[in-house]
Amino acid sequence: GVQTCALPIWRCVTSALLRSTYGHRTIAASDPRNESISAAVEAADFILRPYAHSDAENAARRRNLEEITKTAVCFAYTLFTHPSSWNFDWQRTQEGIVVFPALVQLTDEEGASLRPPRLFAEKVVM
């Protein structure tokens, strides 16, 4: 309907308005998302710390977590700015545990549903 057709236009207009703040490949110290990034790193560190090899590598591990999170934030903005709709497929498989989801395109650039959805990137299963 109208809402489906308007969504890609809204995302493109919104991304154009936000480009000066969020449209960079790196995240500056003044970026308003830094608070959320720090909170996400704290949560991930709390969960992953018991599995770390040693406490001696703690600072490097936290820096890596922060860089992974910043990369994810930039990727999320890229997906948001694209007129298509996307989904991450975390569905379990018989082969093992999904460690990275499949990226599936749900709509085309005009907002029309893709039947079936288009697989953009395969999931990684361990």
Side-chain angles (χ1 to χ4, degrees):
V2 173
Q3 204 172 27
T4 303
C5 293
L7 188 60
I9 296 167
W10 171 80
R11 277 203 303 268
C12 287
V13 169
T14 302
S15 70
L17 294 171
L18 296 175
R19 186 169 291 123
S20 65
T21 303
Y22 300 124
H24 308 287
R25 290 242 187 263
T26 58
I27 296 183
S30 61
D31 192 301
R33 298 172 291 183
N34 278 321
E35 187 175 328
S36 296
I37 290 168
S38 293
V41 168
E42 287 298 320
D45 183 50
F46 178 78
I47 293 167
L48 298 172
R49 190 179 315 129
Y51 303 101
H53 190 61
S54 76
D55 285 337
E57 303 166 354
N58 192 39
R61 185 178 49 76
R62 286 182 59 91
R63 274 193 309 278
N64 289 340
L65 278 174
E66 184 175 343
E67 289 307 312
I68 290 167
T69 304
K70 286 180 177 181
T71 300
V73 165
C74 292
F75 183 63
Y77 178 77
T78 300
L79 283 181
F80 173 79
T81 61
H82 196 277
S84 298
S85 293
W86 303 87
N87 189 33
F88 288 107
D89 176 11
W90 286 95
Q91 293 289 34
R92 278 194 263 179
T93 66
Q94 298 292 339
E95 295 84 38
I97 297 171
V98 176
V99 294
F100 194 83
L103 179 60
V104 181
Q105 186 179 9
L106 303 176
T107 64
D108 66 15
E109 288 75 14
E110 280 77 44
S113 291
L114 296 173
R115 302 262 188 243
R118 185 179 305 148
L119 181 64
F120 190 76
E122 295 277 343
K123 66 178 75 169
V124 177
V125 178
M126 299 293 276

